[in-house]
Amino acid sequence: QVQLVESGGGLVQSGGSLRLSCVASRSILSMYQMGWYRQAPGKQRELAALINSGGSTNYADSTKGRFTISRDNAKNTVYLQMNSLKAEDTGVYYCRGIGLQGDYWGQGTQVTVSS
């Protein structure tokens, strides 16, 4: 059983930055892939960024160049650095981890970008 807990969301002005954190209850080295997903009001959940076990990253077209996903294995933590935020980045951001034991999701953290 793995628990994922997100933090770092909040209210920020357009053009500003936030850093989200996701802390896992066990080593993230056991995860094939970890990622950040987001769900805007009235829309379906979508991928924001992924990082695999080898450190390779992938980004949605809408986040590439502005967001950076990273991890700290010693702290069992994955981060999402979000820069140059836009109003359309507003939504609930969820941490996801995929490993041998299953597919795990965090509770989500709200990000609101004011225009």
Side-chain angles (χ1 to χ4, degrees):
Q1 188 176 24
V2 177
Q3 290 81 46
L4 303 174
V5 180
E6 304 98 329
S7 63
L11 176 64
V12 65
Q13 292 183 344
S14 180
S17 298
L18 285 173
R19 189 183 75 160
L20 306 183
S21 298
C22 171
V23 180
S25 61
R26 60 178 291 175
S27 175
I28 60 174
L29 291 172
S30 64
M31 300 291 185
Y32 300 138
Q33 182 182 82
M34 298 196 72
W36 288 95
Y37 294 74
R38 64 187 185 181
Q39 188 165 15
K43 298 181 67 177
Q44 294 189 145
R45 192 173 300 183
E46 65 179 6
L47 171 72
L50 294 172
I51 185 165
N52 68 20
S53 59
S56 297
T57 58
N58 288 285
Y59 299 91
D61 289 341
S62 58
T63 65
K64 190 173 185 178
R66 300 186 298 118
F67 290 12
T68 303
I69 188 169
S70 61
R71 67 188 184 201
D72 186 332
N73 293 331
K75 295 181 178 179
N76 295 334
T77 302
V78 62
Y79 303 96
L80 185 67
Q81 178 67 46
M82 305 185 294
N83 298 324
S84 301
L85 284 163
K86 307 173 181 179
E88 50 262 45
D89 294 318
T90 293
V92 179
Y93 283 69
Y94 299 90
C95 181
R96 183 191 188 188
I98 302 173
L100 286 172
Q101 296 185 7
D103 186 351
Y104 307 97
W105 291 86
Q107 82 286 356
T109 185
Q110 176 71 44
V111 172
T112 303
V113 184
S114 61
S115 60

